[in-house]
Amino acid sequence: MNGVWHFSFTVADLDRSVAFYRDLLGFTLVHRQDQDNDYTRRLVGYPDAVLRVAQLAVPGQPRGVSTHDLELVEYMRPRGAPRDPARHLPGAAHLALTVEDARAEHARLSSAGVRFVSPPNEITAGVNAGGAACYFLDPDDITLELVQPPPAT
């Protein structure tokens, strides 16, 4: 392995998700495209696949070869039903984002209607003791995390 090209979330409504990640979380929209071609169908393993894709960059991350970090994918064909987003189920994942002030970000995002699992929690043990963290949900119930690193880092 040589590095990470990108990570991806499958979403129900690409426009809604782009607005969430770009407008609320500050990601940069790098590129959008529709994928209706043989290469994509072979890649995803669906013979009739048609996708809408948006590529976004995480703020503060150095740009790699791919120019983006997060890829949002809406399957136009085949359409999928939402899955159980419970964090304890095998296969569940989350993305943790660093912030300078978890309480201020929690207040800002809460006032915009973002759903949180909890308010920021002080980290009291381990390598991140002295920091704070909390989980929140994107429009498709994908778990995200705000992490305020401890003062020493």
Side-chain angles (χ1 to χ4, degrees), residues 44-77:
V44 301
Y46 296 111
D48 64 340
V50 176
L51 284 58
R52 294 179 65 217
V53 177
Q55 299 165 342
L56 297 105
V58 177
Q61 290 291 114
R63 298 283 47 90
V65 175
S66 72
T67 73
H68 68 283
D69 305 297
L70 171 62
E71 185 172 87
L72 299 174
V73 178
E74 179 183 357
Y75 278 78
M76 304 306 292
R77 215 176 42 225

PDB file of all heavy atoms in Angstrom, residues 44-77:
ATOM      1  N   VAL A  44     -18.244  -1.459  -9.955  1.00  0.00           N
ATOM      2  CA  VAL A  44     -19.168  -1.635  -8.837  1.00  0.00           C
ATOM      3  C   VAL A  44     -19.898  -2.976  -8.868  1.00  0.00           C
ATOM      4  O   VAL A  44     -20.543  -3.347  -7.891  1.00  0.00           O
ATOM      5  CB  VAL A  44     -20.183  -0.467  -8.741  1.00  0.00           C
ATOM      6  CG1 VAL A  44     -19.452   0.853  -8.564  1.00  0.00           C
ATOM      7  CG2 VAL A  44     -21.115  -0.429  -9.947  1.00  0.00           C
ATOM      8  N   GLY A  45     -19.810  -3.685  -9.986  1.00  0.00           N
ATOM      9  CA  GLY A  45     -20.404  -5.016 -10.060  1.00  0.00           C
ATOM     10  C   GLY A  45     -21.892  -5.048 -10.311  1.00  0.00           C
ATOM     11  O   GLY A  45     -22.548  -6.047 -10.019  1.00  0.00           O
ATOM     12  N   TYR A  46     -22.444  -3.960 -10.851  1.00  0.00           N
ATOM     13  CA  TYR A  46     -23.861  -3.915 -11.217  1.00  0.00           C
ATOM     14  C   TYR A  46     -23.943  -3.626 -12.713  1.00  0.00           C
ATOM     15  O   TYR A  46     -23.513  -2.556 -13.157  1.00  0.00           O
ATOM     16  CB  TYR A  46     -24.613  -2.832 -10.435  1.00  0.00           C
ATOM     17  CG  TYR A  46     -24.655  -3.088  -8.950  1.00  0.00           C
ATOM     18  CD1 TYR A  46     -23.949  -2.283  -8.074  1.00  0.00           C
ATOM     19  CD2 TYR A  46     -25.408  -4.134  -8.428  1.00  0.00           C
ATOM     20  CE1 TYR A  46     -23.980  -2.515  -6.705  1.00  0.00           C
ATOM     21  CE2 TYR A  46     -25.446  -4.382  -7.061  1.00  0.00           C
ATOM     22  CZ  TYR A  46     -24.723  -3.570  -6.217  1.00  0.00           C
ATOM     23  OH  TYR A  46     -24.758  -3.800  -4.857  1.00  0.00           O
ATOM     24  N   PRO A  47     -24.515  -4.549 -13.512  1.00  0.00           N
ATOM     25  CA  PRO A  47     -24.502  -4.391 -14.969  1.00  0.00           C
ATOM     26  C   PRO A  47     -25.297  -3.196 -15.486  1.00  0.00           C
ATOM     27  O   PRO A  47     -25.086  -2.774 -16.618  1.00  0.00           O
ATOM     28  CB  PRO A  47     -25.083  -5.711 -15.483  1.00  0.00           C
ATOM     29  CG  PRO A  47     -25.813  -6.309 -14.341  1.00  0.00           C
ATOM     30  CD  PRO A  47     -25.155  -5.798 -13.091  1.00  0.00           C
ATOM     31  N   ASP A  48     -26.191  -2.636 -14.665  1.00  0.00           N
ATOM     32  CA  ASP A  48     -26.996  -1.496 -15.115  1.00  0.00           C
ATOM     33  C   ASP A  48     -26.690  -0.223 -14.319  1.00  0.00           C
ATOM     34  O   ASP A  48     -27.463   0.733 -14.349  1.00  0.00           O
ATOM     35  CB  ASP A  48     -28.479  -1.826 -15.021  1.00  0.00           C
ATOM     36  CG  ASP A  48     -28.953  -2.065 -13.586  1.00  0.00           C
ATOM     37  OD1 ASP A  48     -28.108  -2.357 -12.711  1.00  0.00           O
ATOM     38  OD2 ASP A  48     -30.169  -1.967 -13.339  1.00  0.00           O
ATOM     39  N   ALA A  49     -25.572  -0.184 -13.602  1.00  0.00           N
ATOM     40  CA  ALA A  49     -25.281   0.906 -12.671  1.00  0.00           C
ATOM     41  C   ALA A  49     -25.185   2.265 -13.353  1.00  0.00           C
ATOM     42  O   ALA A  49     -24.585   2.410 -14.413  1.00  0.00           O
ATOM     43  CB  ALA A  49     -23.988   0.631 -11.916  1.00  0.00           C
ATOM     44  N   VAL A  50     -25.805   3.245 -12.704  1.00  0.00           N
ATOM     45  CA  VAL A  50     -25.683   4.662 -13.055  1.00  0.00           C
ATOM     46  C   VAL A  50     -25.503   5.401 -11.735  1.00  0.00           C
ATOM     47  O   VAL A  50     -26.329   5.267 -10.829  1.00  0.00           O
ATOM     48  CB  VAL A  50     -26.925   5.189 -13.805  1.00  0.00           C
ATOM     49  CG1 VAL A  50     -26.801   6.679 -14.076  1.00  0.00           C
ATOM     50  CG2 VAL A  50     -27.142   4.415 -15.095  1.00  0.00           C
ATOM     51  N   LEU A  51     -24.420   6.157 -11.628  1.00  0.00           N
ATOM     52  CA  LEU A  51     -24.080   6.831 -10.379  1.00  0.00           C
ATOM     53  C   LEU A  51     -23.956   8.330 -10.582  1.00  0.00           C
ATOM     54  O   LEU A  51     -23.562   8.781 -11.661  1.00  0.00           O
ATOM     55  CB  LEU A  51     -22.727   6.337  -9.847  1.00  0.00           C
ATOM     56  CG  LEU A  51     -22.612   4.984  -9.182  1.00  0.00           C
ATOM     57  CD1 LEU A  51     -23.045   3.841 -10.072  1.00  0.00           C
ATOM     58  CD2 LEU A  51     -21.190   4.770  -8.719  1.00  0.00           C
ATOM     59  N   ARG A  52     -24.288   9.069  -9.527  1.00  0.00           N
ATOM     60  CA  ARG A  52     -23.941  10.490  -9.424  1.00  0.00           C
ATOM     61  C   ARG A  52     -22.878  10.559  -8.339  1.00  0.00           C
ATOM     62  O   ARG A  52     -23.037   9.957  -7.278  1.00  0.00           O
ATOM     63  CB  ARG A  52     -25.150  11.334  -9.026  1.00  0.00           C
ATOM     64  CG  ARG A  52     -26.249  11.349 -10.085  1.00  0.00           C
ATOM     65  CD  ARG A  52     -27.442  12.192  -9.635  1.00  0.00           C
ATOM     66  NE  ARG A  52     -27.045  13.595  -9.515  1.00  0.00           N
ATOM     67  CZ  ARG A  52     -27.488  14.438  -8.573  1.00  0.00           C
ATOM     68  NH1 ARG A  52     -28.346  14.031  -7.661  1.00  0.00           N
ATOM     69  NH2 ARG A  52     -27.082  15.679  -8.536  1.00  0.00           N
ATOM     70  N   VAL A  53     -21.809  11.293  -8.607  1.00  0.00           N
ATOM     71  CA  VAL A  53     -20.660  11.305  -7.710  1.00  0.00           C
ATOM     72  C   VAL A  53     -20.227  12.738  -7.445  1.00  0.00           C
ATOM     73  O   VAL A  53     -20.228  13.579  -8.352  1.00  0.00           O
ATOM     74  CB  VAL A  53     -19.485  10.512  -8.336  1.00  0.00           C
ATOM     75  CG1 VAL A  53     -18.252  10.566  -7.457  1.00  0.00           C
ATOM     76  CG2 VAL A  53     -19.897   9.071  -8.613  1.00  0.00           C
ATOM     77  N   ALA A  54     -19.848  12.999  -6.192  1.00  0.00           N
ATOM     78  CA  ALA A  54     -19.233  14.274  -5.820  1.00  0.00           C
ATOM     79  C   ALA A  54     -17.963  13.968  -5.046  1.00  0.00           C
ATOM     80  O   ALA A  54     -17.947  13.084  -4.186  1.00  0.00           O
ATOM     81  CB  ALA A  54     -20.182  15.119  -4.977  1.00  0.00           C
ATOM     82  N   GLN A  55     -16.907  14.695  -5.378  1.00  0.00           N
ATOM     83  CA  GLN A  55     -15.629  14.532  -4.697  1.00  0.00           C
ATOM     84  C   GLN A  55     -15.353  15.797  -3.892  1.00  0.00           C
ATOM     85  O   GLN A  55     -15.456  16.904  -4.427  1.00  0.00           O
ATOM     86  CB  GLN A  55     -14.527  14.270  -5.715  1.00  0.00           C
ATOM     87  CG  GLN A  55     -14.779  12.995  -6.493  1.00  0.00           C
ATOM     88  CD  GLN A  55     -13.934  12.885  -7.744  1.00  0.00           C
ATOM     89  OE1 GLN A  55     -13.398  13.861  -8.234  1.00  0.00           O
ATOM     90  NE2 GLN A  55     -13.822  11.672  -8.260  1.00  0.00           N
ATOM     91  N   LEU A  56     -15.016  15.603  -2.614  1.00  0.00           N
ATOM     92  CA  LEU A  56     -14.794  16.732  -1.715  1.00  0.00           C
ATOM     93  C   LEU A  56     -13.449  16.598  -1.008  1.00  0.00           C
ATOM     94  O   LEU A  56     -12.975  15.487  -0.770  1.00  0.00           O
ATOM     95  CB  LEU A  56     -15.907  16.808  -0.667  1.00  0.00           C
ATOM     96  CG  LEU A  56     -17.301  17.049  -1.250  1.00  0.00           C
ATOM     97  CD1 LEU A  56     -18.118  15.787  -1.215  1.00  0.00           C
ATOM     98  CD2 LEU A  56     -17.991  18.155  -0.510  1.00  0.00           C
ATOM     99  N   ALA A  57     -12.882  17.734  -0.661  1.00  0.00           N
ATOM    100  CA  ALA A  57     -11.625  17.773   0.075  1.00  0.00           C
ATOM    101  C   ALA A  57     -11.901  18.177   1.514  1.00  0.00           C
ATOM    102  O   ALA A  57     -12.698  19.076   1.776  1.00  0.00           O
ATOM    103  CB  ALA A  57     -10.658  18.755  -0.581  1.00  0.00           C
ATOM    104  N   VAL A  58     -11.245  17.502   2.440  1.00  0.00           N
ATOM    105  CA  VAL A  58     -11.361  17.820   3.854  1.00  0.00           C
ATOM    106  C   VAL A  58     -10.533  19.068   4.134  1.00  0.00           C
ATOM    107  O   VAL A  58      -9.372  19.143   3.725  1.00  0.00           O
ATOM    108  CB  VAL A  58     -10.867  16.639   4.719  1.00  0.00           C
ATOM    109  CG1 VAL A  58     -10.903  16.990   6.195  1.00  0.00           C
ATOM    110  CG2 VAL A  58     -11.680  15.382   4.434  1.00  0.00           C
ATOM    111  N   PRO A  59     -11.115  20.055   4.823  1.00  0.00           N
ATOM    112  CA  PRO A  59     -10.355  21.266   5.104  1.00  0.00           C
ATOM    113  C   PRO A  59      -9.116  20.966   5.944  1.00  0.00           C
ATOM    114  O   PRO A  59      -9.155  20.145   6.849  1.00  0.00           O
ATOM    115  CB  PRO A  59     -11.340  22.159   5.875  1.00  0.00           C
ATOM    116  CG  PRO A  59     -12.471  21.289   6.269  1.00  0.00           C
ATOM    117  CD  PRO A  59     -12.451  20.080   5.401  1.00  0.00           C
ATOM    118  N   GLY A  60      -8.008  21.612   5.588  1.00  0.00           N
ATOM    119  CA  GLY A  60      -6.777  21.479   6.346  1.00  0.00           C
ATOM    120  C   GLY A  60      -5.923  20.280   5.990  1.00  0.00           C
ATOM    121  O   GLY A  60      -4.805  20.157   6.481  1.00  0.00           O
ATOM    122  N   GLN A  61      -6.404  19.383   5.144  1.00  0.00           N
ATOM    123  CA  GLN A  61      -5.624  18.217   4.750  1.00  0.00           C
ATOM    124  C   GLN A  61      -4.767  18.565   3.532  1.00  0.00           C
ATOM    125  O   GLN A  61      -5.246  19.215   2.614  1.00  0.00           O
ATOM    126  CB  GLN A  61      -6.543  17.051   4.371  1.00  0.00           C
ATOM    127  CG  GLN A  61      -7.282  16.438   5.533  1.00  0.00           C
ATOM    128  CD  GLN A  61      -6.368  15.698   6.465  1.00  0.00           C
ATOM    129  OE1 GLN A  61      -6.199  16.099   7.598  1.00  0.00           O
ATOM    130  NE2 GLN A  61      -5.747  14.650   6.007  1.00  0.00           N
ATOM    131  N   PRO A  62      -3.517  18.107   3.508  1.00  0.00           N
ATOM    132  CA  PRO A  62      -2.719  18.321   2.287  1.00  0.00           C
ATOM    133  C   PRO A  62      -3.321  17.538   1.126  1.00  0.00           C
ATOM    134  O   PRO A  62      -3.873  16.456   1.328  1.00  0.00           O
ATOM    135  CB  PRO A  62      -1.341  17.780   2.655  1.00  0.00           C
ATOM    136  CG  PRO A  62      -1.495  17.035   3.934  1.00  0.00           C
ATOM    137  CD  PRO A  62      -2.807  17.410   4.548  1.00  0.00           C
ATOM    138  N   ARG A  63      -3.269  18.094  -0.050  1.00  0.00           N
ATOM    139  CA  ARG A  63      -3.841  17.454  -1.239  1.00  0.00           C
ATOM    140  C   ARG A  63      -2.899  16.390  -1.767  1.00  0.00           C
ATOM    141  O   ARG A  63      -1.717  16.629  -1.948  1.00  0.00           O
ATOM    142  CB  ARG A  63      -4.116  18.480  -2.343  1.00  0.00           C
ATOM    143  CG  ARG A  63      -5.114  19.543  -1.955  1.00  0.00           C
ATOM    144  CD  ARG A  63      -6.596  19.148  -1.961  1.00  0.00           C
ATOM    145  NE  ARG A  63      -6.970  17.926  -1.337  1.00  0.00           N
ATOM    146  CZ  ARG A  63      -7.327  17.803  -0.046  1.00  0.00           C
ATOM    147  NH1 ARG A  63      -7.334  18.820   0.763  1.00  0.00           N
ATOM    148  NH2 ARG A  63      -7.666  16.640   0.439  1.00  0.00           N
ATOM    149  N   GLY A  64      -3.454  15.238  -2.030  1.00  0.00           N
ATOM    150  CA  GLY A  64      -2.695  14.143  -2.625  1.00  0.00           C
ATOM    151  C   GLY A  64      -2.937  14.086  -4.124  1.00  0.00           C
ATOM    152  O   GLY A  64      -3.506  14.998  -4.725  1.00  0.00           O
ATOM    153  N   VAL A  65      -2.528  13.004  -4.716  1.00  0.00           N
ATOM    154  CA  VAL A  65      -2.657  12.817  -6.162  1.00  0.00           C
ATOM    155  C   VAL A  65      -4.108  12.882  -6.609  1.00  0.00           C
ATOM    156  O   VAL A  65      -4.430  13.431  -7.654  1.00  0.00           O
ATOM    157  CB  VAL A  65      -2.019  11.476  -6.585  1.00  0.00           C
ATOM    158  CG1 VAL A  65      -2.236  11.207  -8.058  1.00  0.00           C
ATOM    159  CG2 VAL A  65      -0.539  11.461  -6.244  1.00  0.00           C
ATOM    160  N   SER A  66      -5.023  12.353  -5.804  1.00  0.00           N
ATOM    161  CA  SER A  66      -6.422  12.297  -6.221  1.00  0.00           C
ATOM    162  C   SER A  66      -7.135  13.638  -6.112  1.00  0.00           C
ATOM    163  O   SER A  66      -8.214  13.790  -6.659  1.00  0.00           O
ATOM    164  CB  SER A  66      -7.186  11.268  -5.378  1.00  0.00           C
ATOM    165  OG  SER A  66      -7.384  11.752  -4.062  1.00  0.00           O
ATOM    166  N   THR A  67      -6.594  14.592  -5.382  1.00  0.00           N
ATOM    167  CA  THR A  67      -7.130  15.947  -5.161  1.00  0.00           C
ATOM    168  C   THR A  67      -8.362  15.982  -4.261  1.00  0.00           C
ATOM    169  O   THR A  67      -8.887  17.040  -4.007  1.00  0.00           O
ATOM    170  CB  THR A  67      -7.458  16.707  -6.459  1.00  0.00           C
ATOM    171  OG1 THR A  67      -8.637  16.164  -7.074  1.00  0.00           O
ATOM    172  CG2 THR A  67      -6.293  16.702  -7.440  1.00  0.00           C
ATOM    173  N   HIS A  68      -8.840  14.834  -3.782  1.00  0.00           N
ATOM    174  CA  HIS A  68     -10.002  14.820  -2.901  1.00  0.00           C
ATOM    175  C   HIS A  68      -9.832  13.744  -1.840  1.00  0.00           C
ATOM    176  O   HIS A  68      -8.984  12.866  -1.956  1.00  0.00           O
ATOM    177  CB  HIS A  68     -11.292  14.601  -3.697  1.00  0.00           C
ATOM    178  CG  HIS A  68     -11.413  13.235  -4.310  1.00  0.00           C
ATOM    179  ND1 HIS A  68     -10.736  12.873  -5.448  1.00  0.00           N
ATOM    180  CD2 HIS A  68     -12.132  12.153  -3.944  1.00  0.00           C
ATOM    181  CE1 HIS A  68     -11.036  11.618  -5.758  1.00  0.00           C
ATOM    182  NE2 HIS A  68     -11.882  11.165  -4.857  1.00  0.00           N
ATOM    183  N   ASP A  69     -10.637  13.849  -0.785  1.00  0.00           N
ATOM    184  CA  ASP A  69     -10.592  12.892   0.311  1.00  0.00           C
ATOM    185  C   ASP A  69     -11.874  12.075   0.403  1.00  0.00           C
ATOM    186  O   ASP A  69     -11.839  10.883   0.613  1.00  0.00           O
ATOM    187  CB  ASP A  69     -10.400  13.629   1.654  1.00  0.00           C
ATOM    188  CG  ASP A  69      -9.179  14.514   1.652  1.00  0.00           C
ATOM    189  OD1 ASP A  69      -8.067  13.987   1.521  1.00  0.00           O
ATOM    190  OD2 ASP A  69      -9.343  15.740   1.770  1.00  0.00           O
ATOM    191  N   LEU A  70     -13.005  12.745   0.295  1.00  0.00           N
ATOM    192  CA  LEU A  70     -14.312  12.116   0.452  1.00  0.00           C
ATOM    193  C   LEU A  70     -15.022  12.062  -0.886  1.00  0.00           C
ATOM    194  O   LEU A  70     -15.095  13.066  -1.600  1.00  0.00           O
ATOM    195  CB  LEU A  70     -15.170  12.907   1.451  1.00  0.00           C
ATOM    196  CG  LEU A  70     -16.642  12.500   1.576  1.00  0.00           C
ATOM    197  CD1 LEU A  70     -16.788  11.063   2.059  1.00  0.00           C
ATOM    198  CD2 LEU A  70     -17.368  13.457   2.507  1.00  0.00           C
ATOM    199  N   GLU A  71     -15.544  10.888  -1.208  1.00  0.00           N
ATOM    200  CA  GLU A  71     -16.362  10.723  -2.406  1.00  0.00           C
ATOM    201  C   GLU A  71     -17.763  10.345  -1.947  1.00  0.00           C
ATOM    202  O   GLU A  71     -17.939   9.381  -1.207  1.00  0.00           O
ATOM    203  CB  GLU A  71     -15.765   9.624  -3.287  1.00  0.00           C
ATOM    204  CG  GLU A  71     -16.464   9.451  -4.613  1.00  0.00           C
ATOM    205  CD  GLU A  71     -15.700   8.480  -5.493  1.00  0.00           C
ATOM    206  OE1 GLU A  71     -15.948   7.262  -5.364  1.00  0.00           O
ATOM    207  OE2 GLU A  71     -14.855   8.940  -6.274  1.00  0.00           O
ATOM    208  N   LEU A  72     -18.739  11.136  -2.355  1.00  0.00           N
ATOM    209  CA  LEU A  72     -20.137  10.831  -2.078  1.00  0.00           C
ATOM    210  C   LEU A  72     -20.738  10.230  -3.333  1.00  0.00           C
ATOM    211  O   LEU A  72     -20.566  10.779  -4.431  1.00  0.00           O
ATOM    212  CB  LEU A  72     -20.894  12.105  -1.691  1.00  0.00           C
ATOM    213  CG  LEU A  72     -20.392  12.826  -0.450  1.00  0.00           C
ATOM    214  CD1 LEU A  72     -21.137  14.142  -0.272  1.00  0.00           C
ATOM    215  CD2 LEU A  72     -20.530  11.954   0.787  1.00  0.00           C
ATOM    216  N   VAL A  73     -21.438   9.111  -3.188  1.00  0.00           N
ATOM    217  CA  VAL A  73     -21.994   8.395  -4.341  1.00  0.00           C
ATOM    218  C   VAL A  73     -23.482   8.180  -4.130  1.00  0.00           C
ATOM    219  O   VAL A  73     -23.896   7.645  -3.100  1.00  0.00           O
ATOM    220  CB  VAL A  73     -21.300   7.029  -4.535  1.00  0.00           C
ATOM    221  CG1 VAL A  73     -21.918   6.275  -5.705  1.00  0.00           C
ATOM    222  CG2 VAL A  73     -19.801   7.199  -4.720  1.00  0.00           C
ATOM    223  N   GLU A  74     -24.272   8.599  -5.109  1.00  0.00           N
ATOM    224  CA  GLU A  74     -25.696   8.277  -5.132  1.00  0.00           C
ATOM    225  C   GLU A  74     -25.928   7.302  -6.281  1.00  0.00           C
ATOM    226  O   GLU A  74     -25.638   7.617  -7.437  1.00  0.00           O
ATOM    227  CB  GLU A  74     -26.540   9.527  -5.342  1.00  0.00           C
ATOM    228  CG  GLU A  74     -28.026   9.237  -5.408  1.00  0.00           C
ATOM    229  CD  GLU A  74     -28.893  10.456  -5.687  1.00  0.00           C
ATOM    230  OE1 GLU A  74     -28.354  11.580  -5.787  1.00  0.00           O
ATOM    231  OE2 GLU A  74     -30.120  10.283  -5.817  1.00  0.00           O
ATOM    232  N   TYR A  75     -26.423   6.121  -5.961  1.00  0.00           N
ATOM    233  CA  TYR A  75     -26.768   5.146  -6.985  1.00  0.00           C
ATOM    234  C   TYR A  75     -28.132   5.501  -7.548  1.00  0.00           C
ATOM    235  O   TYR A  75     -29.145   5.368  -6.870  1.00  0.00           O
ATOM    236  CB  TYR A  75     -26.801   3.724  -6.406  1.00  0.00           C
ATOM    237  CG  TYR A  75     -25.439   3.074  -6.309  1.00  0.00           C
ATOM    238  CD1 TYR A  75     -24.556   3.407  -5.295  1.00  0.00           C
ATOM    239  CD2 TYR A  75     -25.046   2.130  -7.251  1.00  0.00           C
ATOM    240  CE1 TYR A  75     -23.309   2.818  -5.209  1.00  0.00           C
ATOM    241  CE2 TYR A  75     -23.797   1.526  -7.175  1.00  0.00           C
ATOM    242  CZ  TYR A  75     -22.935   1.873  -6.153  1.00  0.00           C
ATOM    243  OH  TYR A  75     -21.697   1.282  -6.068  1.00  0.00           O
ATOM    244  N   MET A  76     -28.142   5.961  -8.800  1.00  0.00           N
ATOM    245  CA  MET A  76     -29.403   6.212  -9.488  1.00  0.00           C
ATOM    246  C   MET A  76     -30.014   4.885  -9.916  1.00  0.00           C
ATOM    247  O   MET A  76     -31.221   4.718  -9.912  1.00  0.00           O
ATOM    248  CB  MET A  76     -29.186   7.131 -10.691  1.00  0.00           C
ATOM    249  CG  MET A  76     -28.509   8.466 -10.345  1.00  0.00           C
ATOM    250  SD  MET A  76     -29.360   9.388  -9.048  1.00  0.00           S
ATOM    251  CE  MET A  76     -30.868   9.827  -9.889  1.00  0.00           C
ATOM    252  N   ARG A  77     -29.114   3.971 -10.302  1.00  0.00           N
ATOM    253  CA  ARG A  77     -29.507   2.616 -10.685  1.00  0.00           C
ATOM    254  C   ARG A  77     -28.365   1.693 -10.307  1.00  0.00           C
ATOM    255  O   ARG A  77     -27.226   2.013 -10.659  1.00  0.00           O
ATOM    256  CB  ARG A  77     -29.756   2.569 -12.191  1.00  0.00           C
ATOM    257  CG  ARG A  77     -30.851   1.656 -12.587  1.00  0.00           C
ATOM    258  CD  ARG A  77     -31.199   1.664 -14.069  1.00  0.00           C
ATOM    259  NE  ARG A  77     -30.050   1.687 -14.952  1.00  0.00           N
ATOM    260  CZ  ARG A  77     -29.942   2.474 -16.021  1.00  0.00           C
ATOM    261  NH1 ARG A  77     -30.886   3.294 -16.346  1.00  0.00           N
ATOM    262  NH2 ARG A  77     -28.877   2.430 -16.769  1.00  0.00           N
TER     263      ARG A  77
END
